[in-house]
Amino acid sequence: MAINVLIVDDSPTVCAMLSQMLTSAGFHVAGIGKSAEEGLELAGKLKPDVITLDIEMPGKSGLQALPLFQKTCDAAIIMCSTLTNQAASATLQSLEKGAFDYIPKTEIGKSFTPDMLKERVNNAYAYVTQKRKGENTYKQSVPIASLPHQNVKAIVLGVSTGGPAALHKLFSALPVMPVPIVVVQHMPAAFVASLAERIAQQTKHKTSVAKEDYTLSPGEICFAPGDKHVLVKKMGTRIFCGLSEEPKNLLHKPSADVLFQSAAEVIGKELLAVILTGMGRDGADGGKTVRTRGGMVLAESKSSCVVYGMPKAAIEARTANFEFDLQDMAAAINKIVTGKLIS
């Protein structure tokens, strides 16, 4: 049975392009709403599996309408957003409030290809299907109290689909660390500064966006820019960032594999790597380098992932030392880094 998709967008051009791409990919376009109000009416009648929802529309915006759609049906919602600073903030808020993912509206049919749309909708459907079943088989791989206290000098983290909400939840629960944290979130460059700013505003953590030769300080979360790989370098006791366009042949830029491998080479057994929700397998190969150099790798469990891709790849490759649900990840990191339990 075809996956039912509802398009909600005030642009006839975007509606036509999405409709054509979705139909060609084998999906059923159940309806098209030209406003949030019309979309809500259609969502109530059609009960779609997936909704594409424009951020910026006359009347109710996509952000304003999101909770109404969530009450109307249980569809996975993919936001349609332009790559502007204003749209970035609204998109991130939507993701924090439960939207599955987003589509770069101005790139539809260009850098955002039909295959990308197909993958995104299929993952959205898998996510909503799992929610409808209500399955949760999570068990801690080990009790957090039994985790070893390691002499960690830095934390590196890779995340993709579902990342903004996962990072918000993780860093809200995680105390400020006595070591730097470097994050690769697969996201356009226009969105990264807004994400870092929101994390700083909503948690106790100081954040920054990586620049060439930027010193990584204890207690700080440094985000890779959205259009370059970030490397961890070390000179004496100073740990700092490097930026690179290479390698250019990777699916993701920034890449968690590149970050993990560079950090493992200079920090070795004093490195902790964390792999959270996301499609694909970025981080699995880099995580293997972390393990080979004596560091530790944590992966998010299936039950809390929006997309169980990156953590699954790490676990199947025997890269991860331990697997934890997102709700336990902050406590696990804190125990390994500080030797203490979160009270």
Side-chain angles (χ1 to χ4, degrees):
M1 190 172 70
I3 297 169
N4 292 308
V5 183
L6 172 63
I7 299 169
V8 183
D9 201 299
D10 65 312
S11 166
T13 303
V14 171
C15 288
M17 291 176 70
L18 282 176
S19 183
Q20 191 274 327
M21 289 168 73
L22 289 164
T23 303
S24 296
F27 303 116
H28 175 237
V29 178
I32 296 175
K34 297 178 178 64
S35 66
E37 292 77 10
E38 185 180 351
L40 284 163
E41 186 177 343
L42 289 170
K45 290 178 181 176
L46 301 172
K47 302 297 182 185
D49 302 306
V50 178
I51 297 171
T52 66
L53 177 59
D54 188 17
I55 284 277
E56 297 163 322
M57 292 184 288
K60 277 190 176 67
S61 69
L63 178 60
Q64 291 169 327
L66 176 62
L68 302 177
F69 277 98
Q70 290 168 325
K71 289 177 183 176
T72 302
C73 66
D74 64 354
I77 299 173
I78 300 174
M79 308 305 292
C80 256
S81 171
T82 56
L83 300 181
T84 64
N85 290 335
Q86 183 177 352
S89 178
T91 304
L92 290 169
Q93 289 180 65
S94 299
L95 296 173
E96 289 166 10
K97 292 179 178 179
F100 172 78
D101 206 346
Y102 66 92
I103 291 170
K105 186 173 179 176
T106 51
E107 295 302 311
I108 294 172
K110 300 174 187 175
S111 64
F112 188 78
T113 65
D115 284 344
M116 291 177 179
L117 178 62
K118 183 177 181 179
E119 183 181 33
R120 207 148 296 189
V121 173
N122 279 328
N123 278 303
Y125 180 67
Y127 169 68
V128 79
T129 301
Q130 184 179 328
K131 274 180 61 180
R132 287 169 177 171
K133 289 179 181 176
E135 295 177 351
N136 189 342
T137 57
Y138 168 66
K139 291 181 181 178
Q140 287 183 357
S141 51
V142 296
I144 288 170
S146 70
L147 288 170
H149 176 203
Q150 304 283 90
N151 183 29
V152 174
K153 298 298 185 187
I155 301 168
V156 289
L157 188 153
V159 63
S160 186
T161 309
L167 292 173
H168 180 268
K169 185 171 183 178
L170 174 66
F171 292 134
S172 293
L174 184 70
V176 175
M177 291 286 94
V179 298
I181 302 173
V182 187
V183 177
V184 160
Q185 160 74 68
H186 299 156
M187 182 169 276
F191 284 24
V192 173
S194 189
L195 174 62
E197 185 179 338
R198 290 187 64 77
I199 294 291
Q201 289 172 346
Q202 297 170 0
T203 72
K204 298 175 182 178
H205 298 269
K206 178 185 176 184
T207 65
S208 61
V209 177
K211 298 176 182 177
E212 183 66 33
D213 201 41
Y214 182 83
T215 298
L216 294 168
S217 303
E220 183 175 9
I221 302 167
C222 185
F223 286 83
D227 54 358
K228 289 182 175 65
H229 297 302
V230 65
L231 310 172
V232 174
K233 300 183 177 183
K234 189 177 180 186
M235 186 175 291
T237 58
R238 180 180 174 242
I239 301 173
F240 59 100
C241 285
L243 299 180
S244 178
E245 298 282 352
E246 301 292 338
K248 293 182 177 179
N249 61 339
L250 296 182
L251 181 61
H252 300 290
K253 189 168 65 174
S255 161
D257 281 329
V258 172
L259 168 63
F260 289 8
Q261 288 164 355
S262 69
E265 286 171 9
V266 297
I267 298 175
K269 65 181 181 180
E270 297 173 325
L271 181 66
L272 174 63
V274 181
I275 303 173
L276 300 182
T277 176
M279 63 181 74
R281 54 170 289 108
D282 192 23
D285 293 337
K288 193 172 289 186
T289 305
V290 174
R291 288 288 301 273
T292 301
R293 297 299 181 99
M296 187 175 286
V297 180
L298 304 181
E300 184 178 352
S301 66
K302 180 179 180 179
S303 60
S304 66
C305 279
V306 172
V307 176
Y308 188 55
M310 288 165 55
K312 180 183 179 182
I315 290 161
E316 289 181 345
R318 301 185 181 277
T319 290
N321 296 80
F322 303 106
E323 182 181 9
F324 289 102
D325 193 279
L326 185 62
Q327 68 186 17
D328 290 332
M329 192 62 77
I333 293 170
N334 190 67
K335 177 63 169 63
I336 292 165
V337 175
T338 70
K340 300 175 182 176
L341 296 172
I342 295 177
S343 54

